Amino acid sequence: MAVLHATIHYKPFLVSLLILLVHFHITEAQVGVCNGQDGNNLPSSQEVVDLYKSNGIGRMRMYAPNAQALQALRGSNIELVLDVPNSDLQRLANDAAAASQWVQDNVRNYYPDVKFRIIAVGNEVNPNAGESTAPLAQYVLLAMSKIYDAIASAGLKDQIKVSTATYSKLVSNSFPPSDGSFDGAAGSFMGPIINFLKNTNNPLLVNIYPYFSRIDNPQSITLQYALFTAPGVVAQDGQLQYRNLFDALLDAAYAAVEKAGGPNVEIVVSESGWPSEGGADASVENAQTYYTNLINHVKDAGGSPRRPGKAIETYLFAMFDENQKNGGAESEKHFGIFLPNKQPKYQLTFN
């Protein structure tokens, strides 16, 4: 009888504890790292996965399917954001069978041994005239839809999200953040995408780089504001106060998404980083400061001023320096948090 009484007495406590644990799992912030592969001196796929695991990095973004990498991820418990590369957008947009085959080859053949989190259909497609990716803009939503249908047909739409990765350059009027919007060609491009994400309960992926904002506008943006080291409030936006540029860029994107008809669409920060050399303000010291403060900030459940009380799912760019990265500034080759020989550039605690 005493045992029965004890069981009844503690049952509410156990239920409360279970609720607490479930809540913690849902809100727990994990920082991911992008696994770029534009280098001729990078470790093997298995070595890369082992390096993620030994450093407690629980999430990875990969920019194209790679059979060796997917094989190495089996059983690792690393959650994966896998891109459909821009080069595949037109083909998949025009052919549902090709999209189904893509999902079969690169997702179903590895699931559930590989923990797919998000399929990112296209990266940084810019529809504005003169941009190299402008001709691809017409295919992004169609390809997203075809991939989503293939994921749904596999019975995985509740397990694997489908989105696209855009970037701050498409957000107009980003200061103050509440003025953020998608205008002109960007509006015509992003509006239907936001509507699709809203209707399918999927997030938008956004690449956010305070580094590039700072070097493009050093007269108006201080280094401290970009590095999370400003001593106080830097920007006031109505009742909202901004102490760092990352939050301001994120909230400008949120404002743009809201105006495009997606007030409940969440944003995942699919890239953010700082180079250690190759450009203005690029140094090991600044990069160490940025990555350390970014990790601490996004893990904190404080969220951003516009979306408070929520950890910010964020992927650091990138795992390694990439000596074959084409285009852009020299700094693009020096965003790695590890050297290609697997030695860490910085002392970071990821999760």
Side-chain angles (χ1 to χ4, degrees), residues 230-242:
V233 174
V234 175
Q236 188 83 30
D237 184 5
Q239 297 299 309
L240 304 181
Q241 296 181 325
Y242 290 87

Side-chain angles (χ1 to χ4, degrees), residues 91-105 146-147 150:
R91 179 174 64 89
L92 300 185
N94 292 328
D95 187 348
S100 293
Q101 191 63 50
W102 193 98
V103 169
Q104 178 67 49
D105 292 344
K146 297 284 199 308
I147 292 291

Side-chain angles (χ1 to χ4, degrees), residues 71-184:
Q71 189 65 34
L73 283 165
R74 286 188 188 272
S76 68
N77 284 322
I78 294 171
E79 296 181 295
L80 180 65
V81 176
L82 178 62
D83 281 29
V84 173
N86 291 350
S87 57
D88 284 351
L89 293 176
Q90 182 175 355
R91 179 174 64 89
L92 300 185
N94 292 328
D95 187 348
S100 293
Q101 191 63 50
W102 193 98
V103 169
Q104 178 67 49
D105 292 344
N106 303 305
V107 178
R108 297 182 71 176
N109 284 353
Y110 298 94
Y111 181 88
D113 295 343
V114 175
K115 296 177 71 172
F116 294 93
R117 184 171 181 81
I118 304 170
I119 305 300
V121 183
N123 182 52
E124 293 191 348
V125 173
N126 188 331
N128 289 301
E131 295 287 341
S132 62
T133 58
L136 296 176
Q138 61 187 306
Y139 304 117
V140 174
L141 181 56
L142 283 169
M144 287 172 65
S145 180
K146 297 284 199 308
I147 292 291
Y148 175 82
D149 289 345
I151 292 288
S153 295
L156 298 175
K157 69 181 178 66
D158 294 329
Q159 286 77 42
I160 303 172
K161 299 295 187 181
V162 176
S163 187
T164 188
T166 187
Y167 61 141
S168 299
K169 191 172 183 178
L170 293 197
V171 179
S172 303
N173 313 313
S174 58
F175 185 81
S178 60
D179 284 355
S181 60
F182 296 119
D183 296 338

